[in-house]
Amino acid sequence: MTPASPPAEREAALNAAGQTGERLQLVNTVAVIRSQSDVVLVDTGTGPRHQPTAGKLAENLEAAGIPPAAVTKIVLTHGHPDHLWGILDANDKPIYPNASYFVSAVEWNLWADPDVMRRLPAVLATSDRITNGAKNHFSRVKDKIRTVRDGDEIVSGVRVIDTPGHTQGHISVEIAGGDGLVVVADALTHAVISFQHPSWPVPVDHEPDRGISTRLRLLDRLVVDKRRLIGAHLPFPGTGFVERKDGAYRFVPT
């Protein structure tokens, strides 16, 4: 098991990012992909029942000229509230009535497990709100869900990449064309720690050691391939490139 991150170093890294270990303020960026006749979302944010400052995705899409009925496909990278709960309104009705949903088979099985609580990290396993929420939200769209695995295409030029660790079945999305783009979701979450200290365990990762392996592999690939990335919780708009620096990596926003 990888040892915990050194507290003093962790605090210094957070301070360098203008944060503290007591409280983090995270953005929640959702990628929208237009592909011929399809409009694809990668995750859906929190919806109306998680935090009062969140759950504004549908109205933001409307403001951008994309009504909910225009969304045809939704990739759910994993089952945490800030990525999944935005599929339903306050009355448990699908917000995107014409969408089909894509989730990894491993992730689907995780939240369907009656004993899922034992598979969560300690910081999340103290409440059943997350597990009940995942079960409820997945159940409401189960007839429109397709399970996927590494390499499967969502639409032409948009394919799934396995990036497990944050959850057992966490996936990212790779988009071909131009310089390419990888939607990393929660495989890389912090603009300083995830890049400069990728071997530090993340308390909310379901499988911390696996999360470390995924981060190192993904970061190396992004550098070698010179691929642009977009992260759900990286500073808005969440896009940038990765460079090697001082034996680790650096996030370069664009």
Side-chain angles (χ1 to χ4, degrees):
M1 176 66 70
T2 302
S5 57
E9 290 185 41
R10 182 177 66 246
E11 190 65 26
L14 290 171
N15 288 340
Q19 300 170 339
T20 72
E22 299 300 319
R23 184 174 183 178
L24 297 179
Q25 183 173 2
L26 296 180
V27 299
N28 199 355
T29 300
V30 172
V32 183
I33 304 164
R34 291 182 183 269
S35 177
Q36 298 178 348
S37 60
D38 283 300
V39 176
V40 183
L41 302 184
V42 182
D43 292 325
T44 56
T46 68
R49 289 183 290 189
H50 187 49
Q51 295 173 328
T53 57
K56 311 298 183 184
L57 176 62
E59 60 189 76
N60 287 340
L61 288 172
E62 285 266 22
I66 305 173
V71 175
T72 57
K73 293 179 170 63
I74 296 173
V75 181
L76 297 168
T77 63
H78 61 296
H80 286 169
D82 54 328
H83 297 260
L84 167 65
W85 286 16
I87 65 175
L88 301 180
D89 64 19
N91 297 310
D92 278 340
K93 301 297 183 183
I95 292 174
Y96 306 97
N98 298 320
S100 54
Y101 302 83
F102 300 79
V103 63
S104 81
V106 173
E107 192 73 6
W108 176 263
N109 291 334
L110 167 69
W111 299 104
D113 185 348
D115 202 16
V116 62
M117 293 289 281
R118 67 177 175 81
R119 303 179 66 186
L120 303 186
V123 70
L124 299 180
T126 56
S127 169
D128 60 5
R129 183 169 181 259
I130 289 176
T131 57
N132 288 341
K135 290 176 185 294
N136 176 63
H137 284 72
F138 278 130
S139 71
R140 302 285 177 170
V141 296
K142 64 181 180 180
D143 294 336
K144 300 180 74 175
I145 281 183
R146 172 188 156 193
T147 58
V148 293
R149 62 187 66 202
D150 187 63
D152 284 353
E153 279 200 328
I154 305 302
V155 295
S156 180
V158 178
R159 70 183 188 93
V160 171
I161 305 173
D162 279 343
T163 49
H166 182 63
T167 65
Q168 287 82 342
H170 185 284
I171 56 175
S172 300
V173 175
E174 183 176 43
I175 304 167
D179 294 329
L181 175 69
V182 180
V183 185
V184 302
D186 279 6
L188 300 166
T189 55
H190 195 279
V192 175
I193 291 176
S194 296
F195 297 84
Q196 295 181 19
H197 305 281
S199 294
W200 285 359
V202 175
V204 294
D205 280 358
H206 292 203
E207 298 178 314
D209 287 348
R210 206 172 182 194
I212 290 168
S213 297
T214 289
R215 280 193 294 280
L216 292 171
R217 183 179 68 253
L218 182 59
L219 287 164
D220 187 65
R221 179 178 177 183
L222 289 166
V223 169
V224 171
D225 293 346
K226 296 182 172 60
R227 291 292 178 91
R228 195 179 187 198
L229 69 93
I230 179 169
H233 303 305
L234 298 177
F236 183 81
T239 59
F241 291 89
V242 182
E243 295 179 348
R244 287 195 173 93
K245 180 177 173 60
D246 299 331
Y249 302 88
R250 180 176 71 153
F251 176 60
V252 182
T254 58

